[in-house]
Structures are given as C-alpha cells and as structure tokens.
C-alpha cells in the first residue's frame, strides 16, 4: 500500500495519522471530545470512531495503534486521551476495555518537559498521559523484562539535564538526528528528522509550554524516489523556535510538501509579539515557509477562519500563508467536506509527491488494507 497522511478536523487542536507502506500507524496528538460523536454538531470529526472503523486490530478484534506522539501537553493536543486510549499494564487489557473501545498504544513518544517541576498545572488528559508515560519509564529504568513489549515501549524526544532520565540511554533522541526505528522496527522507506524541542526550553522554568513542542520532518521514500514526500509537524512552536531551527538546519531538513500550521494558524508562528503590536511577519518565519517545494501546501487545523480578532486561528496569519503557497494550496480542515460534517484531509505519497485524495472516496477501507490491519500480536 502507498503511505499516506490523514489530517483530522478537530477544531482548534491537532490530530494527524501517518500510515506507512507496511501499515505502521502513527498518531500525532489528539483533540477528541464527546461532541465529536454528536451528529448535530458538525464542527468536529469523530476520530475515535474512525480509528475503530478503519484502524488496526489485534487478531481482528482489539483496536491498537503502533505509535502515539504527544508534541506537548496542552489540552488541545491530548484532549480525550484517557477515553480514546487504554492506559496501564497491557497484559491486563480485558473484554471490559474492548467494550469501552479503548485503543492500545504499542509505543508512546513524548518529551521530558511533561515531568518538569515547572510544567505547571496540567489538564486531566495531560495528567492521564503523564501517568501512563511514567509507568512506562519506570519499567525501563527498572530494566523490567516486559519493558520492550508492545504497550510498554517509549521514545523520549529532546534534551534535558534532569538526571532522573539518564538511564534511558538510546531511547532518548535529541534534535539533529533521524529516527527510522519505529515500534522496534527499522523502516527502509520512512524516517523522522527531529528539529526540536531544545534543552533550553525543556529545562527553563520560564519557557512557554508551546515552545517545548516536538518538531518533526516526516520523510517518505516511494518507489525509487528518496524524500518523495516531506511533511512538517511543529505542534505549537512559536516564531523564536522556528528561527532557531532555521539557523541550525540544512535546507534539505527544512524542505516540505506539507506544512501543518503551528498553533492552529496562529499569528505566533510569524511573530513573538501580538498582531496589534507587530503586523510584520518575522523574516525567519517567511524563510521557513520559503523552503516549501513546488506545489507545497499549508494545512490549518483549527475552527473556520474568519476575518475577526480571534487568535487562533488568525486571519492575517492565513493571508501570510496564502501569500507564500497560494490560496489554492492553503487548506483549512474545518472547511473540508460539507455543512453536515467536516471530513478528514488525506494525502497519499507517490513518487511525484503527495496526492490529495477526494474525502468522499475515503469512507471505506479496501480488502487489502483490512487484511494488513488485522495484526497478530501479543500484549503482556
């Protein structure tokens, strides 16, 4: 199967699904609410039900995903985590959890920042994520015999001086490196390049949580073409972080076909100052956008964008994106589909780059994918 990225319309929040050629599935962030399943509320897509319908199954029964990546601990990136995913010892997943439609996560990715004393008050969803991440960390620090089992695996992204995590060794990946081992399997046609978070933001108690976001370049090889598709995920990282990324990175690490607008099409990508104080976008931010390849698209994961004072999404930010990539290449996820329900936006990776698929044609999974999605695997 051809690899693809699906961006879900979840209001002012993020949730993306990367599906690789071997059907490895990677979810980046979630923003799921009870309202998403309400047919009378078209503002959010029911990601949970989508994963239950079209995601992977263990032995054709138990829903699971290979990797979940939390870019940072704001609630609009982890809302619904504890009602969509199973937390706890994977060997204790029971029929009760299956009836609750809880999805197992093989491998959890996160930053050290969520455990910092200066992280501040967390939402109930972030607390649930933190508890699960700590459970898995404890298994690895104790060198438990089950630490590398599906449902206990971890990957820590970014620097930290916190001595509590020194024992995690090569499970910690720092900026400037590629990750091609995903859920303990080496991928020959996919890798992430890690841009951030940086040590200063992770360890500095004055640093804003948004600026501790995991920033990744997803690189797809298709057929004989290396980097046939390139996608940038930046959480809520602000202008100063992108300026630092620009300073440290070669052009090939910054190139993209798809760019998920940071902080839900907020002005913060273009300036550290509020728009009313500075209406001029930072040169470095424009330089980042200038790394887009021919036909590059910007994806805005936010509520419908209106010409008002909201931030996010910010109307002037939308105009800046459109000035660079063109109005036809700016996609507001909340405005894809019809008035009844916004639909996911999916790109399939080809040798010639990402191909935008018609959302009306994606309400099914073909037999080939169904067969691959039934995963023979044991938990616990």
């Amino acid at each position: 199967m051809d690899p693809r990225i699906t961006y879900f319309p979840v209001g002012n929040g993020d949730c993306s699904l990367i599906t690789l050629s071997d059907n490895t599935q990677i979810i980046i962030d979630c923003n799921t609410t009870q309202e998403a399943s309400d047919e009378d509320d078209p503002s959010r897509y029911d990601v949970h039900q989508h994963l239950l319908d079209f995601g992977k199954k263990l032995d054709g029964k138990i829903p699971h995903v290979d990797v979940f990546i939390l870019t940072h601990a704001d609630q609009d990136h982890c809302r619904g985590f504890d009602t969509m995913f199973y937390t706890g010892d994977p060997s204790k997943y029971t029929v009760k959890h299956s009836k609750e439609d809880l999805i197992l996560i093989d491998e959890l990715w996160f930053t050290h920042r969520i455990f910092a004393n200066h992280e501040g008050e967390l939402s109930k969803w972030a607390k649930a994520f933190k508890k699960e991440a700590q459970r898995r960390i404890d298994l690895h620090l104790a060198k438990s015999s089950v630490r590398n089992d599906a449902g206990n695996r971890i990957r820590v992204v970014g620097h930290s001086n916190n001595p509590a995590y020194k024992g995690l060794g090569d499970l910690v990946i720092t900026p400037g490196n590629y990750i091609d081992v995903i859920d303990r399997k080496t991928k020959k046609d996919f890798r992430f390049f890690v841009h951030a978070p940086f040590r200063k933001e992770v360890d500095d108690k004055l640093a804003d949580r948004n600026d501790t976001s995991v920033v990744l370049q997803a690189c797809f090889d298709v057929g004989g073409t290396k980097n046939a598709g390139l996608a940038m995920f930046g959480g809520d990282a602000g202008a100063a972080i992108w300026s630092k990324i620009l300073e440290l990175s070669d052009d090939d690490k910054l190139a993209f076909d798809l760019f998920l607008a940071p902080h839900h099409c907020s002005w913060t990508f273009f300036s550290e100052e509020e728009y009313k104080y500075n209406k001029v976008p930072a040169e470095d931010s424009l330089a980042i956008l200038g790394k887009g390849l021919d036909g590059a698209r910007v994806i805005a994961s936010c509520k419908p964008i209106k010409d008002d004072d909201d931030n996010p999404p910010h109307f002037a930010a939308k105009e800046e994106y459109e000035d660079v990539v063109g109005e036809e290449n700016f996609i507001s996820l909340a405005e894809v589909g019809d008035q009844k329900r916004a639909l996911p936006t999916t790109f399939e990776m080809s040798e010639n780059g990402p191909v935008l698929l018609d959302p009306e044609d994606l309400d099914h999974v073909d037999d080939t994918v169904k067969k691959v999605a039934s995963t023979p695997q044991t938990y616990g």
Side-chain angles (χ1 to χ4, degrees):
M1 63 180 293
D2 291 324
R4 58 181 58 182
I5 299 177
T6 297
Y7 300 94
F8 294 108
V10 291
N12 277 1
D14 282 353
C15 187
S16 307
L17 172 64
I18 297 175
T19 304
L20 305 185
S21 61
D22 64 357
N23 205 41
T24 294
Q25 293 187 331
I26 303 165
I27 297 176
I28 303 179
D29 291 330
C30 67
N31 187 38
T32 304
T33 65
Q34 186 70 32
E35 292 79 11
S37 59
D38 184 352
E39 290 298 328
D40 295 327
D41 182 357
S43 64
R44 298 178 189 272
Y45 184 77
D46 193 346
V47 178
H48 191 180
Q49 190 61 50
H50 180 102
L51 295 175
L52 294 173
D53 291 342
F54 307 129
K56 299 173 72 171
K57 299 287 195 302
L58 295 170
D59 300 324
K61 298 177 181 179
I62 301 174
H64 85 111
V65 65
D66 297 281
V67 176
F68 179 89
I69 303 173
L70 180 66
T71 59
H72 63 298
D74 276 350
Q75 65 179 7
D76 53 351
H77 292 256
C78 61
R79 184 181 279 111
F81 178 81
D82 57 342
T83 55
M84 187 156 74
F85 298 106
Y86 173 79
T87 58
D89 185 343
S91 67
K92 295 181 179 179
Y93 188 98
T94 65
V95 173
K96 170 182 175 293
H97 301 116
S98 182
K99 288 182 177 179
E100 293 173 353
D101 292 329
L102 295 177
I103 300 170
L104 288 157
I105 300 171
D106 289 3
E107 188 167 287
L108 207 62
W109 293 23
F110 48 88
T111 75
H112 295 87
R113 172 61 184 250
I114 196 171
F115 302 103
N117 292 330
H118 54 273
E119 176 65 314
E121 182 62 26
L122 297 173
S123 68
K124 66 176 184 177
W125 305 288
K127 289 177 180 176
F129 183 96
K130 178 181 178 181
K131 181 179 179 181
E132 173 63 9
Q134 188 64 64
R135 182 192 71 80
R136 297 186 185 211
I137 282 178
D138 291 343
L139 289 176
H140 285 268
L141 291 178
K143 300 191 183 304
S144 167
S145 61
V146 299
R147 67 188 183 280
N148 291 320
D149 288 352
N152 291 329
R153 299 170 189 156
I154 59 170
R155 173 80 72 182
V156 184
V157 183
H159 291 285
S160 177
N161 287 322
N162 192 328
Y165 309 111
K166 297 298 183 183
L168 295 177
D170 60 4
L171 293 175
V172 180
I173 300 295
T174 54
N177 292 290
Y178 283 103
I179 303 175
D180 62 0
V181 178
I182 298 171
D183 201 20
R184 293 179 62 80
K185 303 177 187 71
T186 301
K187 306 301 177 184
K188 296 181 179 179
D189 58 0
F190 178 81
R191 65 215 150 269
F192 283 116
F193 182 79
V194 180
H195 282 292
F198 301 109
R199 187 194 306 270
K200 179 180 183 297
E201 283 69 35
V202 171
D203 286 345
D204 187 350
K205 63 182 180 181
L206 298 179
D208 185 85
R209 183 185 292 162
N210 286 345
D211 287 340
T212 69
S213 294
V214 174
V215 180
L216 301 168
Q217 180 199 45
C219 311
F220 299 83
D221 302 338
V222 182
T225 305
K226 185 175 182 180
N227 292 337
L230 297 170
M232 199 73 74
F233 296 87
D236 288 351
I241 299 301
W242 288 100
S243 180
K244 192 171 182 178
I245 288 172
L246 179 68
E247 177 186 352
L248 296 173
S249 304
D250 298 331
D251 285 351
D252 63 317
K253 310 297 193 306
L254 296 171
F256 65 86
D257 298 289
L258 304 172
F259 187 88
L260 184 60
H263 199 222
H264 327 301
C265 196
S266 165
W267 183 250
T268 57
F269 171 72
F270 292 102
S271 176
E272 291 295 303
E273 297 180 278
E274 293 182 42
Y275 182 72
K276 61 183 178 181
Y277 300 122
N278 178 29
K279 294 179 172 60
V280 180
E283 291 184 6
D284 285 352
S285 298
L286 295 177
I288 287 286
L289 290 181
K291 305 301 180 182
L293 303 174
D294 289 344
R297 295 176 171 92
V298 171
I299 316 298
S301 182
C302 55
K303 64 184 182 180
I305 304 170
K306 300 178 181 179
D307 189 0
D308 54 25
D309 294 330
D310 284 357
N311 186 39
H314 198 270
F315 188 78
K318 171 190 174 181
E319 291 184 316
E320 293 294 342
Y321 285 124
E322 290 180 340
D323 281 346
V324 176
V325 302
E327 184 177 348
E328 70 282 1
N329 287 330
F330 179 87
I331 299 176
S332 172
L333 295 181
E335 298 167 68
V336 175
D338 55 35
Q339 293 182 348
K340 291 183 179 180
R341 177 75 61 184
L343 295 174
T345 295
T346 298
F347 291 90
E348 189 170 80
M349 302 301 162
S350 74
E351 292 186 71
N352 298 316
V355 177
L356 178 60
L357 303 182
D358 187 339
E360 299 292 345
D361 295 336
L362 294 173
D363 59 351
H364 67 281
V365 177
D366 62 40
D367 290 339
T368 302
V369 175
K370 285 182 179 178
K371 289 177 182 177
V372 177
S374 183
T375 312
Q377 187 170 343
T378 302
Y379 277 76

